[in-house]
Amino acid sequence: MTSIAFPVPDSAILARRDAIIAALAALVPAQSLITSEDERRAFETDALTAYRRMPLAVVLPTSTAEVAAVLAFCHREGVKVVPRGAGTSLAGGAIPQEDAIVLGTSKLSQVLAVDYADRTARVQAGITNLAISQAVSPEGFFYAPDPSSQLACTIAGNIAMNSGGAHCLKYGVTTNNLIGVTMVLLDGTVVEIGGDALDSPGYDLLGLITGSEGQLGVFTEATVRILRQAEGARPVLFGFASNELAGECVAALIGAGIIPVALEFMDKPAITICEAFAHAGYPLDVEAMLIVEVEGSDEEIDDALARICAIADRFSPMTVKVSQSEAESAAIWKGRKSAFGAMGRIADYLCMDGTIPTGQLPLVLRRITEICESHGLKVANIFHAGDGNLHPLVLYDINKPGELEKAEQAGAEILKLCVEVGGCLTGEHGVGIEKRDLMTEQYNPVDLAQQMRVRAVFDPAWLLNPAKVFPLEGRDPPQGWVDIAGKAVAA
């Protein structure tokens, strides 16, 4: 048995399943409603595949109006809703419940408008992350956030988890590249938050809803910043004799005020596995590797790389490989971008997502290895080193009884360590179910109560993604809370 609990399904909702499905069938086209067990099974989990729940039904609306109609019905009938983008959540953010419908955005996948003069794109929220860059690249633009799952993950999910990626060090994560959304509230009300300008007057509601993990509403459209592509870009690869030396190099680069476009870390297990998969030319005789990419004109790139290599030289790199061609650059990034898939070929794993001050990297990397070894497990480290966003992959065998539980315990200890050294529980994957019961490690009861009060304004009945983010204990709202329409909510 795993340590992550789910709420007991509402038997009254389960008994009304046929009536609920009949009502949903009247709100969306037939091809947008999935009810058979075989077809629902495709939605029973997300990228945190160790956990599965069969949803009551799956609805895939084709418009904002259909999303609003479905949510209004669920609000009236007390039916729980689990919003879903592409199901790439590594924290279990889109895992359903038996008494909940899954509301997916995958059919909302169009580019609606592009304004190159103002550098914005209006898109439906079910479009994939990478598809935005592909749509604007002929004019020399791109969308900056680039999660490793960008080929599949959607903007709706990116907003829900405030996703980042390898190039977020220079360009920021989703919240830094989002300027407006269309969001449907639980009662079916459609609201516009933000707009077409880089900053909007009034309260920063856009900042509030970005990273809200599907608990405040469902995103159907978004306006994002697009940027001019750099004149050029080139990575350099460093191999070091130890994780600690690589960590010290990262701290030195950031401490020197150098902000490359990307700064990625891989340890020996990750290097070996990724090289066998991608044949990227990675050195196999090193213990740790950094990929540092800079961009600009040829002169700017040469100057930046010279300064970076000079700093790295203080840590005695065993390998220094400056890319000399687009093919070499593509190979270096292919290995990094395919890392999680390559790792899945040889082991089951839990991909953690803690964030720490970069100066703590040498200590934390050593402790991560010690923690996993104490549980008899191996670990591979692949992460965004420049902003301290760690992704240790705790390796285990799902077919061995007790190994998942060991991996969960090791993962929890790693995340607690991140908080202890001044970091936080998550950088870009969100809380979901994975970190839900660790929230008390970072927040005291007053902090959590205040966050839940904000949540209750939007969803007082806890119908939207209810098993996620907050510990299941202590959720009962006090008397006097109000919902988004100003109606009093009884405890």
Side-chain angles (χ1 to χ4, degrees):
M1 295 295 293
T2 68
S3 59
I4 298 177
F6 281 81
V8 177
D10 186 335
S11 59
I13 293 294
L14 297 178
R16 294 169 47 211
R17 180 172 183 264
D18 289 344
I20 291 169
I21 289 174
L24 292 172
L27 301 176
V28 297
Q31 63 269 26
S32 295
L33 181 60
I34 296 172
T35 61
S36 73
E37 182 173 343
D38 285 346
E39 291 178 309
R40 282 183 290 142
R41 196 169 299 283
F43 297 86
E44 68 179 352
T45 190
D46 56 17
L48 191 64
T49 55
Y51 310 96
R52 299 171 187 273
R53 290 292 186 278
M54 183 70 75
L56 194 75
V58 179
V59 186
L60 304 174
T62 61
S63 68
T64 297
E66 288 179 8
V67 172
V70 171
L71 286 179
F73 164 77
C74 292
H75 179 246
R76 289 193 307 270
E77 299 298 322
V79 179
K80 300 178 182 69
V81 179
V82 176
R84 180 185 178 101
T88 58
S89 170
L90 287 161
I95 292 177
Q97 295 173 224
E98 295 91 333
D99 57 351
I101 70 162
V102 167
L103 182 59
T105 60
S106 58
K107 290 182 180 289
L108 302 170
S109 58
Q110 301 300 309
V111 175
L112 301 175
V114 179
D115 187 331
Y116 292 108
D118 288 337
R119 297 179 301 158
T120 64
R122 183 76 176 178
V123 299
Q124 291 183 311
I127 194 171
T128 63
N129 177 291
L130 185 60
I132 299 178
S133 288
Q134 290 174 334
V136 299
S137 63
E139 298 297 326
F141 285 79
F142 75 108
Y143 177 61
D146 61 338
S148 293
S149 59
Q150 68 180 143
L151 182 65
C153 66
T154 66
I155 290 300
N158 283 191
I159 298 170
M161 299 302 180
N162 194 20
S163 302
H167 290 82
C168 68
L169 179 60
K170 179 176 181 179
Y171 293 113
V173 294
T174 299
T175 192
N176 306 113
N177 293 275
L178 179 72
I179 59 178
V181 300
T182 299
M183 184 172 83
V184 185
L185 304 178
L186 179 60
D187 66 358
T189 302
V190 179
V191 296
E192 297 287 340
I193 298 176
D196 295 326
L198 292 180
D199 197 11
S200 297
Y203 290 115
D204 185 15
L205 295 178
L206 198 61
L208 172 66
I209 64 174
T210 305
S212 57
E213 302 200 27
Q215 297 203 317
L216 305 185
V218 176
F219 308 116
T220 60
E221 295 181 13
T223 301
V224 300
R225 297 173 62 201
I226 55 173
L227 303 174
R228 268 286 181 188
Q229 295 171 355
E231 186 175 339
R234 196 147 37 111
V236 55
L237 184 155
F238 297 107
F240 295 92
S242 70
N243 287 352
E244 288 77 13
L245 284 171
E248 290 170 7
C249 182
V250 170
L253 289 170
I254 299 301
I258 296 175
I259 305 297
V261 68
L263 177 47
E264 298 292 295
F265 177 103
M266 299 172 71
D267 67 4
K268 189 175 186 66
I271 295 167
T272 302
I273 293 166
C274 292
E275 176 62 18
F277 177 78
H279 306 292
Y282 291 166
L284 297 178
D285 59 341
V286 302
E287 293 297 320
M289 189 178 83
L290 296 178
I291 299 172
V292 189
E293 183 168 270
V294 297
E295 63 182 16
S297 66
D298 290 341
E299 292 78 9
E300 290 172 321
I301 290 173
D302 289 341
D303 177 69
L305 288 177
R307 288 186 290 133
I308 289 168
C309 289
I311 292 173
D313 190 58
R314 297 179 352 219
F315 304 96
S316 304
M318 299 169 63
T319 298
V320 179
K321 180 179 180 181
V322 178
S323 173
Q324 299 300 320
S325 67
E326 290 187 8
E328 286 188 5
S329 297
I332 288 172
W333 280 113
K334 179 184 178 184
R336 171 59 184 90
K337 286 288 187 177
S338 61
F340 292 167
M343 197 67 61
R345 300 167 69 222
I346 59 97
D348 302 297
Y349 62 83
L350 294 182
C351 178
M352 312 314 296
D353 173 48
T355 300
I356 64 170
T358 53
Q360 296 288 340
L361 271 172
L363 166 67
V364 171
L365 288 171
R366 183 175 69 253
R367 286 288 297 122
I368 286 174
T369 299
E370 293 171 352
I371 287 169
C372 291
E373 287 179 348
S374 72
H375 291 279
L377 300 172
K378 294 182 179 180
V379 63
N381 286 288
I382 306 169
F383 58 85
H384 312 311
D387 60 351
N389 187 186
L390 307 182
H391 293 316
L393 306 182
V394 182
L395 309 181
Y396 70 98
D397 185 346
I398 192 67
N399 296 312
K400 291 184 178 179
E403 284 237 328
L404 173 58
E405 290 80 2
K406 288 182 182 179
E408 288 179 334
Q409 183 59 42
E413 292 176 22
I414 290 170
L415 293 172
K416 290 176 183 178
L417 172 65
C418 291
V419 174
E420 288 170 9
V421 301
C424 59
L425 292 171
T426 182
E428 59 178 343
H429 293 177
V431 175
I433 62 169
E434 178 198 37
K435 309 178 186 79
R436 182 192 67 199
D437 298 321
L438 293 173
M439 289 284 275
T440 54
E441 298 290 331
Q442 182 152 3
Y443 301 104
N444 62 40
V446 175
D447 294 332
L448 287 173
Q450 187 62 27
Q451 291 178 47
M452 287 189 282
R453 283 188 175 94
V454 173
R455 186 202 192 287
V457 170
F458 291 83
D459 178 20
W462 288 76
L463 295 179
L464 281 172
N465 222 9
K468 317 298 169 51
V469 181
F470 298 105
L472 298 181
E473 299 296 326
R475 289 185 169 202
D476 292 336
Q479 294 282 353
W481 286 21
V482 296
D483 68 11
I484 197 70
K487 300 175 183 176
V489 179

